[in-house]
Amino acid sequence: MVYVTYHRNYSRPTNNTQSFRRKLANNKAIKKKIKTIYHVTKNDLVETAHEYSQNSSLHGLRYVGNKDLHVIERLFWIISFTLASCASGYFINDLLQKWYEMPVIMSLSAKSTSLTTIPFPAITICNMNNVRKTMAEQILSTNDSILEQSLLEDFCEEDTLLESTMEDNNTSSWHQVQNFMVKVSQPCHEMIVSCKWHGEQQNCYEIFNSALTDEGMCCSFNKVKNDLIFRNPSHFSDVNITFPFTYVDWTPERGYPRDTPLNHIPWRPWGAGSHLGLTIVLNAELDEYYCSSEASHGFKATLHNPVETPKISAFGTLLRPGTETQVIISPIINLASLQLTKINQDKRQCFFSDEKVLRFYRTYTQRNCILECESNFTLYFCQCVMYYMPKDSTTRICGKQDIPCANRAKLAMETKLGWLYMNATKRNHNTQKPNCGCLPGCFSIIYEKKEFSSDISSKFKVKDPFYYRKNMAMVHFFFTDAQFTSIIKGELFGTTELLSGTGGLLGLFMGFSFLSVFEALYFATLRFWCSIRQKRKHVSEKIAASKITPKTLYPFYK
C-alpha cells in the first residue's frame, strides 16, 4: 500500500516583519502603561494637593480645598488668598530693593572712643617766605652761581613755587634744586623758637622735622618717617632727619600694636586742655622776606593723618604774626563692622586696607589715594611729576616748561570743567577724566579744627615787645574733650534682618512660618511617595488574595 503525503506550503513571515510587529506591540503596551501611570499619578497628585490644603498652616488655604463649601465660597477664598500672596510679594520686593540699594547704615557707636587711643594729629607748618633775603642777596652778589641765580628767579615768579631750569630734568639736577630749596628756606629751628608738648618744654629741633610739601620746605610734627609711609622710601629723600625717637607702625584700621609705649611716634595726647596739647612760638622773620607764596605774610598750617602726605598750598590755615591762636581739634573717627566685607564696595562706599593697594603708599587713605592718582595722571599727561608728588627713582621731575601742563592736569583732577578745558587746549591728547576710585577708608581719622585768635598784648613780658608783636605767632593745638563718639558703618539689612522682615510680611499676610516650607516639601515629596507606596501595597495584597496577575489590576506594577 502506497501512502501519499500532502504538505501544505505556509508562507512564513520574514525576520524583519516579526521584529516590526514586536516593536509595535511593545510601543502600544508602553503607551498604555504610560497613560495608566499618568492617570493614576494625576489622581494621586490631586489627592495629595487636597490633603495639603486641608492640613496646611497657611491661612485661608483650607477653605480653598474644602469640597463641602459652595463654589462661590471657595472662589472667595481663592481670590482672598491670591490677593494676600500678591500683597506680601509686593512688600517683600520693596524690602529687597531697599536691601539692594541701601545696604549700609551709619550710626553713632554705643561705646565712646578714649582720647588716648588715637594719635595726636600730624601738624605741618610752612613760612610763606620762599627765599630769605640774606641768601638772595648773597646769591645775586656771587657771579659764579649762575644756576642758583636762575633758580632764584624762578622761585620768586608769581604763582610759581618750583619752576626749575633743569636742562635735562634728571635726578642729579633735581638734587641741585632740592639743595637750593634747603639753602634758601628758613630752617625749622629758626622758625619754631619755642615748644611745649604735654606741658613740658621740648627741644623743637628734635620734635619737628623738615619736609618737602607743595608749599616748599616746611616743618612737620608727629609725622612718621618715610619707611612707614611709602613702599619704596629710598625714592623719597628725607631732609635733615634728626628724630631720636622710636616709630611704630600705626594705621587707622589696625591702630597701635599691643603694649605700645607712650613715647613712640605717632604720639598720643595725654588728655584735654591746652596744657596737655602742643604750644609753639613761630618766628616769621619779616625782615628776611624776599618773595612770598601768598599775598600776605605769616605761616600756613594744616592738620593731617600721621601716615599721610599733606597738601598745604590750597588747604592750609593762615597764621598771622603778632597773634595768639587757639586751634581746637575735633577728630572724626570712622569705624566699620566686619560684615561690610560681604557688601559690594560701590554700595558701602569705602575700602578696607587690604582691598585697595596703592603703588607708592603703604597705608590706604583717601588723601594718599588722591595724591597718587594725581601723580599718575600728571605723569601720563605731561611725562613728568611735581617734586612733592609720590614717584619712583626713574620718574622725571617737572621743570619750568612743564608747569602749565602740570597745572592743567591738576585742574582736570579736581573739577570736571578742568577736564573739559584740558581737552580744549590739548586736543591731540583726547584726554579722559581720570577715574581714581578713591573712596574713603572704612577705618579713618579726620581732624577738624576751629581757630580763635587775638592780638598779642603790648604788655607781654619779653625782651623786645616790638619785635615779638611784629614777627612772632603763638599757637596752641589741643583737644577739648577726653572722649569722642565714633561713627560706625554697618549693615542696614543683613541676612538676619532680611529673614526677619520677609518672614514678618509672610506671617502677616499668609500666616507663613519657617516650618511652612518643610510642610510644603513634605506633601510634595515624602507624602506623595508614601501615598503611591500604600496603593502598591494594597494592590499586592489584593493580588495575593485573588491569585490574578498584577498587570490585570495595576498595569504599571513591577
Side-chain angles (χ1 to χ4, degrees), residues 500-541:
S500 300
T502 305
L505 290 170
L506 289 172
L508 174 65
F509 287 97
M510 304 172 61
F512 185 90
S513 67
F514 185 72
L515 290 178
S516 299
V517 178
F518 293 96
E519 186 180 57
L521 290 175
Y522 163 72
F523 277 97
T525 56
L526 187 61
R527 186 74 188 101
F528 177 68
W529 178 78
C530 289
S531 177
I532 295 178
R533 293 290 297 178
Q534 288 176 354
K535 285 191 175 183
R536 286 186 178 181
K537 184 178 179 181
H538 177 69
V539 169
S540 299
E541 293 175 353

Side-chain angles (χ1 to χ4, degrees), residues 187-460:
C188 290
H189 67 275
E190 294 184 12
M191 181 174 67
I192 307 171
V193 296
S194 179
C195 305
K196 270 190 176 183
W197 171 238
H198 291 161
E200 298 179 358
Q201 197 72 31
Q202 302 287 337
N203 188 345
C204 301
Y205 188 75
E206 292 182 351
I207 65 174
F208 276 87
N209 176 40
S210 299
L212 282 171
T213 69
D214 56 344
E215 192 68 23
M217 294 297 303
C218 301
C219 303
S220 293
F221 168 82
N222 207 32
K223 178 185 174 184
V224 300
K225 61 182 179 180
N226 284 352
D227 297 46
L228 300 178
I229 298 178
F230 301 106
R231 295 189 179 276
N232 298 307
S234 59
H235 298 166
F236 303 86
S237 55
D238 280 323
V239 184
N240 297 333
I241 290 292
T242 56
F243 279 5
F245 305 101
T246 305
Y247 298 86
V248 65
D249 190 10
W250 172 89
T251 64
E253 184 167 337
R254 297 192 304 269
Y256 285 94
R258 187 182 296 273
D259 299 328
T260 300
L262 292 176
N263 59 346
H264 283 34
I265 297 177
W267 289 311
R268 283 168 277 184
W270 287 5
S274 59
H275 62 291
L276 295 177
L278 174 69
T279 298
I280 56 176
V281 178
L282 305 173
N283 186 2
E285 293 184 346
L286 296 184
D287 293 337
E288 285 287 335
Y289 263 64
Y290 184 76
C291 57
S292 175
S293 61
E294 299 288 344
S296 58
H297 295 167
F299 308 93
K300 274 187 177 181
T302 186
L303 309 182
H304 57 93
N305 196 305
V307 295
E308 290 178 341
T309 302
K311 292 189 70 174
I312 304 178
S313 180
F315 301 100
T317 300
L318 297 179
L319 300 174
R320 183 166 58 89
T323 60
E324 182 177 4
T325 304
Q326 288 187 336
V327 180
I328 300 175
I329 306 169
S330 299
I332 300 177
I333 306 170
N334 294 311
L335 306 176
S337 62
L338 295 180
Q339 286 79 6
L340 286 184
T341 55
K342 305 174 185 177
I343 299 177
N344 188 276
Q345 297 168 355
D346 293 334
K347 291 184 173 58
R348 58 177 144 98
Q349 289 293 298
C350 70
F351 284 123
F352 287 92
S353 58
D354 58 344
E355 290 181 332
K356 189 173 180 66
V357 179
L358 300 179
R359 178 185 175 190
F360 299 112
Y361 292 96
R362 294 178 68 247
T363 304
Y364 178 85
T365 66
Q366 189 176 32
R367 287 187 179 181
N368 286 346
C369 178
I370 292 174
L371 189 57
E372 181 170 302
C373 184
E374 183 179 341
S375 175
N376 294 333
F377 185 66
T378 305
L379 179 62
Y380 165 77
F381 188 70
C382 306
Q383 288 75 52
C384 65
V385 298
M386 296 298 291
Y387 71 95
Y388 57 86
M389 293 179 176
K391 55 189 176 299
D392 55 33
S393 57
T394 60
T395 304
R396 185 173 71 90
I397 306 298
C398 291
K400 181 177 181 178
Q401 70 280 4
D402 302 308
I403 295 299
C405 178
N407 289 336
R408 288 196 300 270
K410 180 181 179 181
L411 187 62
M413 278 288 304
E414 296 175 348
T415 63
K416 184 176 181 180
L417 294 177
W419 166 60
L420 297 175
Y421 168 74
M422 187 178 346
N423 275 331
T425 55
K426 287 282 186 178
R427 295 178 182 176
N428 57 327
H429 280 267
N430 191 23
T431 307
Q432 296 182 356
K433 183 175 175 62
N435 183 16
C436 301
C438 294
L439 297 175
C442 295
F443 290 82
S444 64
I445 298 180
I446 301 172
Y447 297 96
E448 289 190 340
K449 59 184 182 299
K450 294 181 181 179
E451 300 93 6
F452 303 93
S453 62
S454 61
D455 295 336
I456 295 178
S457 172
S458 58
K459 297 182 179 180
F460 190 67

Side-chain angles (χ1 to χ4, degrees), residues 163-182:
E163 298 183 351
S164 64
T165 55
M166 296 182 289
E167 296 180 359
D168 300 326
N169 292 303
N170 52 26
T171 304
S172 61
S173 299
W174 158 240
H175 284 309
Q176 292 178 349
V177 176
Q178 182 178 349
N179 293 334
F180 174 81
M181 294 175 65
V182 174

Side-chain angles (χ1 to χ4, degrees), residues 16-73:
N16 290 336
T17 304
Q18 292 178 352
S19 176
F20 174 77
R21 289 177 178 176
R22 284 195 300 268
K23 288 182 178 179
L24 185 61
N26 290 337
N27 289 339
K28 290 182 178 179
I30 291 172
K31 289 181 179 179
K32 185 177 181 181
K33 185 176 182 179
I34 291 174
K35 188 176 181 181
T36 305
I37 292 173
Y38 169 76
H39 286 295
V40 173
T41 306
K42 182 180 178 181
N43 293 333
D44 290 337
L45 283 174
V46 172
E47 291 178 5
T48 305
H50 179 264
E51 186 180 0
Y52 170 69
S53 67
Q54 295 302 300
N55 297 278
S56 175
S57 59
L58 296 180
H59 296 168
L61 197 59
R62 66 184 63 183
Y63 301 108
V64 174
N66 191 348
K67 297 178 181 179
D68 297 333
L69 296 178
H70 193 274
V71 64
I72 297 178
E73 294 179 286

Side-chain angles (χ1 to χ4, degrees), residues 481-500:
D481 297 312
Q483 290 184 331
F484 295 91
T485 302
S486 305
I487 300 174
I488 185 168
K489 185 177 288 189
E491 281 186 313
L492 177 61
F493 287 105
T495 305
T496 304
E497 291 78 12
L498 186 63
L499 286 176
S500 300

